[in-house]
Amino acid sequence: MTDTTLTRLHAHEMATRLRTGEVGSRELLEAHLALIERQDHALNAWQSLDPAGARAAADRADTALVRARSDGQEALDALPPLHGIPVALKDLVVTRGQPSTAGSRILEGYRGAYDAHIAERLHDAGAVIPGKTNMDEFAMGSSTEHCAWGPVGNPWDLGRVPGGSSGGSAAAVAAFHAPLAIGTDTGGSIRQPAALTGTVGLRPTYGRVSRSGIIAFASSLDQVGPFARDVRDAALLLGVVAGHDPRDSTSAPEPVPDYASTLATDPGQAAEVLRGRRLGLPRQYFVAGMEPGVEARVREAVARLAAAGAEIVEVDLPHTEYGLATYYIVAPAEASANLARYDGVRFGRSVRTGDVLTDYLETRGTGFGAEVKRRIMLGTYALSAGYYDAYYLKALKVRTLIKADFDQAFEQVDALIAPTSPTVAFPLGARMDDPVAMYLSDACTLPVNVAGLAGLSVPCGLSEGLPVGLQLIGRAFDELTLLQLGRAWEAVSADDDWRRLEPTDLPRLDDPATPAPGVAPAA
Ligand code: GLN
């Protein structure tokens, strides 16, 4: 097979071909590395690459495959699910000996002293990690422009953002630089970039995936989850990283279903799960400012799910409008505490003048970018004596009300269905001077984090030639229902023309003259 054919495979197809011997893990890796090398100058999706480590892992996978093939079917079946398959990591997953910058100058030069829990899980599952992906600094952003090393482009239009903060992971998967990637979602950072790049992204329930070794942003909201090009692949990756970890006290001892093998491969069977399912359409999610093309695609998808047997019920989530305000008190407050550890002594950047206070101020002053400083100031203010009750405590009370809205809705329905993002990908720079406009990008995703629930974004067509995301929101720890519904949507829309389109700007990525995202071509 050619490099292009190899990189177009889904992870579950790679798994099958690796077992039959039709492809090798090293061959798969080289195809992806070649594409990254040729194209990333114009995409900037990758923060760092580890070709040597990845090649060693791929060679080990190939050796094990040869052995298993000679031992027979049982040995092949016993190989772990991601054996020999490339998986990209957002650059806030700490890995031993590798750079882990969280997109920040303050962690420039820092290398992980250990592997994050999910990195251990991925190694145990046989995954090959080509490198780390670019992101908004400390995951604060909705566009992957707040990056110390330049923004990421959207493979559908290089002049537009891929969404954020996990935009590097989303763009890498959309551009076929990896079949799978890990992101984090504190307020929408997996689902929103998935929507804007036409990929599948799942934010698991709070507590589903361990955050041990994940550089923290807002600890009561952060979750780790998968990006993929179809729902089955997202299920495969979630199954590997989900589950209890005693090193993260918020990680839940809930059983983890075998997501991937529970999902139907046959489209007819996949669509069957819609029969009799009650899906809630929250009135408040069709917000002012939503683009008509986005609303149209989402409503069309809802109608088609109904025609395939789902029952659609309009529901109210009356406190939705307070989601944004609540999030922007809670998240900065927690961030201001989490980021106190970057003091120039323990990790990364360290300015040394001989005076401790100067060192501290200089390290943080030059190490953090503008958005991070804004959040630290907001958070410190919200937690300060006199304002704590007025802001932080109030936000926690509203948080309870938002959660109660969802609890009530889930008494009537199996899942909620809504847009993921009110708009398609916006031009690079468009929201950089207006933080509130940037914050509004997550109006439809934030409430899920505030309530600690799970959400899945699946592509549902194009508006003005750009991808639109359909969001499914589920009960706590019911990722399986979301994956089944997402898979059913794929089956219902399998023959749609848009499903056969590749991101429009892929040919420009191949042109060495295409400039880095956000950089105007020389006149
Ligand atoms: N855009 C939101 C923020 O800036 C969410 C980010 C995230 O989910 N990491 O905080």
Side-chain angles (χ1 to χ4, degrees), residues 220-243:
S220 77
L221 300 157
D222 295 344
Q223 253 300 284
V224 183
F227 283 96
R229 287 192 297 266
D230 74 3
V231 171
R232 288 167 66 196
D233 279 6
L236 202 61
L237 184 51
L238 178 66
V240 167
V241 295

mmCIF file with all atom_site columns, all heavy atoms in Angstrom, residues 220-243:
data_model
loop_
_atom_site.group_PDB
_atom_site.id
_atom_site.type_symbol
_atom_site.label_atom_id
_atom_site.label_alt_id
_atom_site.label_comp_id
_atom_site.label_asym_id
_atom_site.label_entity_id
_atom_site.label_seq_id
_atom_site.pdbx_PDB_ins_code
_atom_site.Cartn_x
_atom_site.Cartn_y
_atom_site.Cartn_z
_atom_site.occupancy
_atom_site.B_iso_or_equiv
_atom_site.pdbx_formal_charge
_atom_site.auth_seq_id
_atom_site.auth_comp_id
_atom_site.auth_asym_id
_atom_site.auth_atom_id
_atom_site.pdbx_PDB_model_num
ATOM 1   N N   . SER A 1 220 ? -11.324 20.605 39.004 1.00 0.00 ? 220 SER A N   1
ATOM 2   C CA  . SER A 1 220 ? -12.663 20.033 39.159 1.00 0.00 ? 220 SER A CA  1
ATOM 3   C C   . SER A 1 220 ? -13.370 19.908 37.813 1.00 0.00 ? 220 SER A C   1
ATOM 4   O O   . SER A 1 220 ? -14.536 19.503 37.747 1.00 0.00 ? 220 SER A O   1
ATOM 5   C CB  . SER A 1 220 ? -13.502 20.863 40.135 1.00 0.00 ? 220 SER A CB  1
ATOM 6   O OG  . SER A 1 220 ? -13.962 22.043 39.517 1.00 0.00 ? 220 SER A OG  1
ATOM 7   N N   . LEU A 1 221 ? -12.674 20.276 36.727 1.00 0.00 ? 221 LEU A N   1
ATOM 8   C CA  . LEU A 1 221 ? -13.299 20.259 35.396 1.00 0.00 ? 221 LEU A CA  1
ATOM 9   C C   . LEU A 1 221 ? -12.525 19.431 34.374 1.00 0.00 ? 221 LEU A C   1
ATOM 10  O O   . LEU A 1 221 ? -13.111 18.930 33.406 1.00 0.00 ? 221 LEU A O   1
ATOM 11  C CB  . LEU A 1 221 ? -13.399 21.700 34.861 1.00 0.00 ? 221 LEU A CB  1
ATOM 12  C CG  . LEU A 1 221 ? -14.226 22.686 35.688 1.00 0.00 ? 221 LEU A CG  1
ATOM 13  C CD1 . LEU A 1 221 ? -13.797 24.122 35.398 1.00 0.00 ? 221 LEU A CD1 1
ATOM 14  C CD2 . LEU A 1 221 ? -15.706 22.521 35.408 1.00 0.00 ? 221 LEU A CD2 1
ATOM 15  N N   . ASP A 1 222 ? -11.203 19.301 34.549 1.00 0.00 ? 222 ASP A N   1
ATOM 16  C CA  . ASP A 1 222 ? -10.354 18.643 33.543 1.00 0.00 ? 222 ASP A CA  1
ATOM 17  C C   . ASP A 1 222 ? -10.729 17.175 33.333 1.00 0.00 ? 222 ASP A C   1
ATOM 18  O O   . ASP A 1 222 ? -10.924 16.442 34.296 1.00 0.00 ? 222 ASP A O   1
ATOM 19  C CB  . ASP A 1 222 ? -8.869  18.623 33.998 1.00 0.00 ? 222 ASP A CB  1
ATOM 20  C CG  . ASP A 1 222 ? -8.219  19.996 34.108 1.00 0.00 ? 222 ASP A CG  1
ATOM 21  O OD1 . ASP A 1 222 ? -8.770  20.966 33.574 1.00 0.00 ? 222 ASP A OD1 1
ATOM 22  O OD2 . ASP A 1 222 ? -7.136  20.079 34.736 1.00 0.00 ? 222 ASP A OD2 1
ATOM 23  N N   . GLN A 1 223 ? -10.796 16.756 32.090 1.00 0.00 ? 223 GLN A N   1
ATOM 24  C CA  . GLN A 1 223 ? -10.876 15.326 31.752 1.00 0.00 ? 223 GLN A CA  1
ATOM 25  C C   . GLN A 1 223 ? -10.073 15.069 30.484 1.00 0.00 ? 223 GLN A C   1
ATOM 26  O O   . GLN A 1 223 ? -9.907  15.949 29.649 1.00 0.00 ? 223 GLN A O   1
ATOM 27  C CB  . GLN A 1 223 ? -12.318 14.878 31.529 1.00 0.00 ? 223 GLN A CB  1
ATOM 28  C CG  . GLN A 1 223 ? -12.875 14.001 32.663 1.00 0.00 ? 223 GLN A CG  1
ATOM 29  C CD  . GLN A 1 223 ? -12.096 12.715 32.897 1.00 0.00 ? 223 GLN A CD  1
ATOM 30  O OE1 . GLN A 1 223 ? -12.208 11.768 32.142 1.00 0.00 ? 223 GLN A OE1 1
ATOM 31  N NE2 . GLN A 1 223 ? -11.317 12.672 33.974 1.00 0.00 ? 223 GLN A NE2 1
ATOM 32  N N   . VAL A 1 224 ? -9.588  13.842 30.375 1.00 0.00 ? 224 VAL A N   1
ATOM 33  C CA  . VAL A 1 224 ? -8.765  13.417 29.254 1.00 0.00 ? 224 VAL A CA  1
ATOM 34  C C   . VAL A 1 224 ? -9.634  12.549 28.344 1.00 0.00 ? 224 VAL A C   1
ATOM 35  O O   . VAL A 1 224 ? -10.412 11.743 28.844 1.00 0.00 ? 224 VAL A O   1
ATOM 36  C CB  . VAL A 1 224 ? -7.612  12.536 29.775 1.00 0.00 ? 224 VAL A CB  1
ATOM 37  C CG1 . VAL A 1 224 ? -6.692  12.131 28.650 1.00 0.00 ? 224 VAL A CG1 1
ATOM 38  C CG2 . VAL A 1 224 ? -6.862  13.241 30.881 1.00 0.00 ? 224 VAL A CG2 1
ATOM 39  N N   . GLY A 1 225 ? -9.491  12.707 27.022 1.00 0.00 ? 225 GLY A N   1
ATOM 40  C CA  . GLY A 1 225 ? -10.300 11.863 26.147 1.00 0.00 ? 225 GLY A CA  1
ATOM 41  C C   . GLY A 1 225 ? -9.736  11.758 24.747 1.00 0.00 ? 225 GLY A C   1
ATOM 42  O O   . GLY A 1 225 ? -8.718  12.371 24.414 1.00 0.00 ? 225 GLY A O   1
ATOM 43  N N   . PRO A 1 226 ? -10.409 10.951 23.911 1.00 0.00 ? 226 PRO A N   1
ATOM 44  C CA  . PRO A 1 226 ? -9.896  10.631 22.583 1.00 0.00 ? 226 PRO A CA  1
ATOM 45  C C   . PRO A 1 226 ? -10.398 11.529 21.446 1.00 0.00 ? 226 PRO A C   1
ATOM 46  O O   . PRO A 1 226 ? -11.523 12.023 21.482 1.00 0.00 ? 226 PRO A O   1
ATOM 47  C CB  . PRO A 1 226 ? -10.449 9.213  22.355 1.00 0.00 ? 226 PRO A CB  1
ATOM 48  C CG  . PRO A 1 226 ? -11.758 9.202  23.095 1.00 0.00 ? 226 PRO A CG  1
ATOM 49  C CD  . PRO A 1 226 ? -11.586 10.135 24.272 1.00 0.00 ? 226 PRO A CD  1
ATOM 50  N N   . PHE A 1 227 ? -9.532  11.671 20.427 1.00 0.00 ? 227 PHE A N   1
ATOM 51  C CA  . PHE A 1 227 ? -9.907  12.152 19.087 1.00 0.00 ? 227 PHE A CA  1
ATOM 52  C C   . PHE A 1 227 ? -9.720  10.986 18.132 1.00 0.00 ? 227 PHE A C   1
ATOM 53  O O   . PHE A 1 227 ? -8.747  10.231 18.266 1.00 0.00 ? 227 PHE A O   1
ATOM 54  C CB  . PHE A 1 227 ? -8.960  13.243 18.598 1.00 0.00 ? 227 PHE A CB  1
ATOM 55  C CG  . PHE A 1 227 ? -9.183  14.589 19.195 1.00 0.00 ? 227 PHE A CG  1
ATOM 56  C CD1 . PHE A 1 227 ? -8.434  15.010 20.278 1.00 0.00 ? 227 PHE A CD1 1
ATOM 57  C CD2 . PHE A 1 227 ? -10.125 15.452 18.661 1.00 0.00 ? 227 PHE A CD2 1
ATOM 58  C CE1 . PHE A 1 227 ? -8.617  16.268 20.820 1.00 0.00 ? 227 PHE A CE1 1
ATOM 59  C CE2 . PHE A 1 227 ? -10.322 16.714 19.191 1.00 0.00 ? 227 PHE A CE2 1
ATOM 60  C CZ  . PHE A 1 227 ? -9.560  17.131 20.277 1.00 0.00 ? 227 PHE A CZ  1
ATOM 61  N N   . ALA A 1 228 ? -10.600 10.887 17.137 1.00 0.00 ? 228 ALA A N   1
ATOM 62  C CA  . ALA A 1 228 ? -10.480 9.827  16.142 1.00 0.00 ? 228 ALA A CA  1
ATOM 63  C C   . ALA A 1 228 ? -11.198 10.269 14.878 1.00 0.00 ? 228 ALA A C   1
ATOM 64  O O   . ALA A 1 228 ? -11.796 11.348 14.851 1.00 0.00 ? 228 ALA A O   1
ATOM 65  C CB  . ALA A 1 228 ? -11.093 8.536  16.683 1.00 0.00 ? 228 ALA A CB  1
ATOM 66  N N   . ARG A 1 229 ? -11.124 9.438  13.829 1.00 0.00 ? 229 ARG A N   1
ATOM 67  C CA  . ARG A 1 229 ? -11.874 9.773  12.618 1.00 0.00 ? 229 ARG A CA  1
ATOM 68  C C   . ARG A 1 229 ? -13.174 8.988  12.510 1.00 0.00 ? 229 ARG A C   1
ATOM 69  O O   . ARG A 1 229 ? -13.926 9.176  11.565 1.00 0.00 ? 229 ARG A O   1
ATOM 70  C CB  . ARG A 1 229 ? -10.994 9.596  11.376 1.00 0.00 ? 229 ARG A CB  1
ATOM 71  C CG  . ARG A 1 229 ? -9.926  10.698 11.259 1.00 0.00 ? 229 ARG A CG  1
ATOM 72  C CD  . ARG A 1 229 ? -9.243  10.703 9.917  1.00 0.00 ? 229 ARG A CD  1
ATOM 73  N NE  . ARG A 1 229 ? -8.524  9.484  9.687  1.00 0.00 ? 229 ARG A NE  1
ATOM 74  C CZ  . ARG A 1 229 ? -7.223  9.298  9.949  1.00 0.00 ? 229 ARG A CZ  1
ATOM 75  N NH1 . ARG A 1 229 ? -6.496  10.285 10.457 1.00 0.00 ? 229 ARG A NH1 1
ATOM 76  N NH2 . ARG A 1 229 ? -6.652  8.142  9.721  1.00 0.00 ? 229 ARG A NH2 1
ATOM 77  N N   . ASP A 1 230 ? -13.432 8.097  13.436 1.00 0.00 ? 230 ASP A N   1
ATOM 78  C CA  . ASP A 1 230 ? -14.776 7.527  13.537 1.00 0.00 ? 230 ASP A CA  1
ATOM 79  C C   . ASP A 1 230 ? -15.041 7.100  14.973 1.00 0.00 ? 230 ASP A C   1
ATOM 80  O O   . ASP A 1 230 ? -14.139 7.110  15.820 1.00 0.00 ? 230 ASP A O   1
ATOM 81  C CB  . ASP A 1 230 ? -15.024 6.422  12.500 1.00 0.00 ? 230 ASP A CB  1
ATOM 82  C CG  . ASP A 1 230 ? -14.329 5.110  12.811 1.00 0.00 ? 230 ASP A CG  1
ATOM 83  O OD1 . ASP A 1 230 ? -13.684 5.006  13.881 1.00 0.00 ? 230 ASP A OD1 1
ATOM 84  O OD2 . ASP A 1 230 ? -14.431 4.180  11.987 1.00 0.00 ? 230 ASP A OD2 1
ATOM 85  N N   . VAL A 1 231 ? -16.305 6.779  15.228 1.00 0.00 ? 231 VAL A N   1
ATOM 86  C CA  . VAL A 1 231 ? -16.732 6.515  16.599 1.00 0.00 ? 231 VAL A CA  1
ATOM 87  C C   . VAL A 1 231 ? -16.099 5.225  17.134 1.00 0.00 ? 231 VAL A C   1
ATOM 88  O O   . VAL A 1 231 ? -15.738 5.132  18.306 1.00 0.00 ? 231 VAL A O   1
ATOM 89  C CB  . VAL A 1 231 ? -18.277 6.478  16.668 1.00 0.00 ? 231 VAL A CB  1
ATOM 90  C CG1 . VAL A 1 231 ? -18.757 5.998  18.022 1.00 0.00 ? 231 VAL A CG1 1
ATOM 91  C CG2 . VAL A 1 231 ? -18.840 7.858  16.361 1.00 0.00 ? 231 VAL A CG2 1
ATOM 92  N N   . ARG A 1 232 ? -15.961 4.241  16.266 1.00 0.00 ? 232 ARG A N   1
ATOM 93  C CA  . ARG A 1 232 ? -15.372 2.981  16.741 1.00 0.00 ? 232 ARG A CA  1
ATOM 94  C C   . ARG A 1 232 ? -13.941 3.189  17.224 1.00 0.00 ? 232 ARG A C   1
ATOM 95  O O   . ARG A 1 232 ? -13.503 2.592  18.208 1.00 0.00 ? 232 ARG A O   1
ATOM 96  C CB  . ARG A 1 232 ? -15.415 1.936  15.629 1.00 0.00 ? 232 ARG A CB  1
ATOM 97  C CG  . ARG A 1 232 ? -16.837 1.435  15.395 1.00 0.00 ? 232 ARG A CG  1
ATOM 98  C CD  . ARG A 1 232 ? -16.937 0.668  14.116 1.00 0.00 ? 232 ARG A CD  1
ATOM 99  N NE  . ARG A 1 232 ? -16.171 -0.562 14.168 1.00 0.00 ? 232 ARG A NE  1
ATOM 100 C CZ  . ARG A 1 232 ? -15.831 -1.281 13.083 1.00 0.00 ? 232 ARG A CZ  1
ATOM 101 N NH1 . ARG A 1 232 ? -16.158 -0.848 11.881 1.00 0.00 ? 232 ARG A NH1 1
ATOM 102 N NH2 . ARG A 1 232 ? -15.184 -2.396 13.213 1.00 0.00 ? 232 ARG A NH2 1
ATOM 103 N N   . ASP A 1 233 ? -13.189 4.025  16.508 1.00 0.00 ? 233 ASP A N   1
ATOM 104 C CA  . ASP A 1 233 ? -11.822 4.305  16.938 1.00 0.00 ? 233 ASP A CA  1
ATOM 105 C C   . ASP A 1 233 ? -11.783 5.080  18.256 1.00 0.00 ? 233 ASP A C   1
ATOM 106 O O   . ASP A 1 233 ? -10.929 4.831  19.111 1.00 0.00 ? 233 ASP A O   1
ATOM 107 C CB  . ASP A 1 233 ? -11.076 5.099  15.861 1.00 0.00 ? 233 ASP A CB  1
ATOM 108 C CG  . ASP A 1 233 ? -10.542 4.193  14.753 1.00 0.00 ? 233 ASP A CG  1
ATOM 109 O OD1 . ASP A 1 233 ? -10.856 2.988  14.773 1.00 0.00 ? 233 ASP A OD1 1
ATOM 110 O OD2 . ASP A 1 233 ? -9.808  4.706  13.876 1.00 0.00 ? 233 ASP A OD2 1
ATOM 111 N N   . ALA A 1 234 ? -12.723 6.014  18.417 1.00 0.00 ? 234 ALA A N   1
ATOM 112 C CA  . ALA A 1 234 ? -12.786 6.762  19.677 1.00 0.00 ? 234 ALA A CA  1
ATOM 113 C C   . ALA A 1 234 ? -13.066 5.791  20.823 1.00 0.00 ? 234 ALA A C   1
ATOM 114 O O   . ALA A 1 234 ? -12.485 5.896  21.912 1.00 0.00 ? 234 ALA A O   1
ATOM 115 C CB  . ALA A 1 234 ? -13.862 7.842  19.606 1.00 0.00 ? 234 ALA A CB  1
ATOM 116 N N   . ALA A 1 235 ? -13.939 4.814  20.560 1.00 0.00 ? 235 ALA A N   1
ATOM 117 C CA  . ALA A 1 235 ? -14.281 3.809  21.571 1.00 0.00 ? 235 ALA A CA  1
ATOM 118 C C   . ALA A 1 235 ? -13.051 2.962  21.932 1.00 0.00 ? 235 ALA A C   1
ATOM 119 O O   . ALA A 1 235 ? -12.810 2.640  23.094 1.00 0.00 ? 235 ALA A O   1
ATOM 120 C CB  . ALA A 1 235 ? -15.400 2.913  21.048 1.00 0.00 ? 235 ALA A CB  1
ATOM 121 N N   . LEU A 1 236 ? -12.278 2.647  20.922 1.00 0.00 ? 236 LEU A N   1
ATOM 122 C CA  . LEU A 1 236 ? -11.072 1.839  21.126 1.00 0.00 ? 236 LEU A CA  1
ATOM 123 C C   . LEU A 1 236 ? -10.099 2.557  22.061 1.00 0.00 ? 236 LEU A C   1
ATOM 124 O O   . LEU A 1 236 ? -9.586  1.981  23.024 1.00 0.00 ? 236 LEU A O   1
ATOM 125 C CB  . LEU A 1 236 ? -10.427 1.632  19.748 1.00 0.00 ? 236 LEU A CB  1
ATOM 126 C CG  . LEU A 1 236 ? -9.476  0.485  19.509 1.00 0.00 ? 236 LEU A CG  1
ATOM 127 C CD1 . LEU A 1 236 ? -10.182 -0.838 19.731 1.00 0.00 ? 236 LEU A CD1 1
ATOM 128 C CD2 . LEU A 1 236 ? -8.953  0.544  18.056 1.00 0.00 ? 236 LEU A CD2 1
ATOM 129 N N   . LEU A 1 237 ? -9.876  3.844  21.780 1.00 0.00 ? 237 LEU A N   1
ATOM 130 C CA  . LEU A 1 237 ? -8.918  4.611  22.584 1.00 0.00 ? 237 LEU A CA  1
ATOM 131 C C   . LEU A 1 237 ? -9.466  4.873  23.987 1.00 0.00 ? 237 LEU A C   1
ATOM 132 O O   . LEU A 1 237 ? -8.729  4.782  24.977 1.00 0.00 ? 237 LEU A O   1
ATOM 133 C CB  . LEU A 1 237 ? -8.570  5.919  21.859 1.00 0.00 ? 237 LEU A CB  1
ATOM 134 C CG  . LEU A 1 237 ? -7.515  6.816  22.500 1.00 0.00 ? 237 LEU A CG  1
ATOM 135 C CD1 . LEU A 1 237 ? -6.238  6.066  22.855 1.00 0.00 ? 237 LEU A CD1 1
ATOM 136 C CD2 . LEU A 1 237 ? -7.180  7.998  21.583 1.00 0.00 ? 237 LEU A CD2 1
ATOM 137 N N   . LEU A 1 238 ? -10.764 5.181  24.087 1.00 0.00 ? 238 LEU A N   1
ATOM 138 C CA  . LEU A 1 238 ? -11.344 5.401  25.416 1.00 0.00 ? 238 LEU A CA  1
ATOM 139 C C   . LEU A 1 238 ? -11.187 4.144  26.270 1.00 0.00 ? 238 LEU A C   1
ATOM 140 O O   . LEU A 1 238 ? -10.810 4.223  27.445 1.00 0.00 ? 238 LEU A O   1
ATOM 141 C CB  . LEU A 1 238 ? -12.829 5.786  25.321 1.00 0.00 ? 238 LEU A CB  1
ATOM 142 C CG  . LEU A 1 238 ? -13.507 5.971  26.688 1.00 0.00 ? 238 LEU A CG  1
ATOM 143 C CD1 . LEU A 1 238 ? -12.932 7.157  27.438 1.00 0.00 ? 238 LEU A CD1 1
ATOM 144 C CD2 . LEU A 1 238 ? -15.019 6.103  26.564 1.00 0.00 ? 238 LEU A CD2 1
ATOM 145 N N   . GLY A 1 239 ? -11.446 2.986  25.675 1.00 0.00 ? 239 GLY A N   1
ATOM 146 C CA  . GLY A 1 239 ? -11.345 1.726  26.416 1.00 0.00 ? 239 GLY A CA  1
ATOM 147 C C   . GLY A 1 239 ? -9.955  1.502  27.000 1.00 0.00 ? 239 GLY A C   1
ATOM 148 O O   . GLY A 1 239 ? -9.811  0.909  28.073 1.00 0.00 ? 239 GLY A O   1
ATOM 149 N N   . VAL A 1 240 ? -8.946  2.016  26.306 1.00 0.00 ? 240 VAL A N   1
ATOM 150 C CA  . VAL A 1 240 ? -7.573  1.834  26.787 1.00 0.00 ? 240 VAL A CA  1
ATOM 151 C C   . VAL A 1 240 ? -7.250  2.783  27.946 1.00 0.00 ? 240 VAL A C   1
ATOM 152 O O   . VAL A 1 240 ? -6.620  2.392  28.931 1.00 0.00 ? 240 VAL A O   1
ATOM 153 C CB  . VAL A 1 240 ? -6.562  2.026  25.624 1.00 0.00 ? 240 VAL A CB  1
ATOM 154 C CG1 . VAL A 1 240 ? -5.142  2.149  26.133 1.00 0.00 ? 240 VAL A CG1 1
ATOM 155 C CG2 . VAL A 1 240 ? -6.682  0.860  24.639 1.00 0.00 ? 240 VAL A CG2 1
ATOM 156 N N   . VAL A 1 241 ? -7.697  4.036  27.848 1.00 0.00 ? 241 VAL A N   1
ATOM 157 C CA  . VAL A 1 241 ? -7.286  5.007  28.881 1.00 0.00 ? 241 VAL A CA  1
ATOM 158 C C   . VAL A 1 241 ? -8.242  5.075  30.073 1.00 0.00 ? 241 VAL A C   1
ATOM 159 O O   . VAL A 1 241 ? -7.855  5.569  31.142 1.00 0.00 ? 241 VAL A O   1
ATOM 160 C CB  . VAL A 1 241 ? -7.070  6.431  28.289 1.00 0.00 ? 241 VAL A CB  1
ATOM 161 C CG1 . VAL A 1 241 ? -5.918  6.420  27.317 1.00 0.00 ? 241 VAL A CG1 1
ATOM 162 C CG2 . VAL A 1 241 ? -8.335  6.987  27.650 1.00 0.00 ? 241 VAL A CG2 1
ATOM 163 N N   . ALA A 1 242 ? -9.480  4.594  29.934 1.00 0.00 ? 242 ALA A N   1
ATOM 164 C CA  . ALA A 1 242 ? -10.466 4.730  31.015 1.00 0.00 ? 242 ALA A CA  1
ATOM 165 C C   . ALA A 1 242 ? -10.204 3.736  32.141 1.00 0.00 ? 242 ALA A C   1
ATOM 166 O O   . ALA A 1 242 ? -9.645  2.672  31.913 1.00 0.00 ? 242 ALA A O   1
ATOM 167 C CB  . ALA A 1 242 ? -11.873 4.505  30.464 1.00 0.00 ? 242 ALA A CB  1
ATOM 168 N N   . GLY A 1 243 ? -10.637 4.120  33.328 1.00 0.00 ? 243 GLY A N   1
ATOM 169 C CA  . GLY A 1 243 ? -10.581 3.180  34.443 1.00 0.00 ? 243 GLY A CA  1
ATOM 170 C C   . GLY A 1 243 ? -9.878  3.755  35.656 1.00 0.00 ? 243 GLY A C   1
ATOM 171 O O   . GLY A 1 243 ? -9.155  4.752  35.566 1.00 0.00 ? 243 GLY A O   1
#
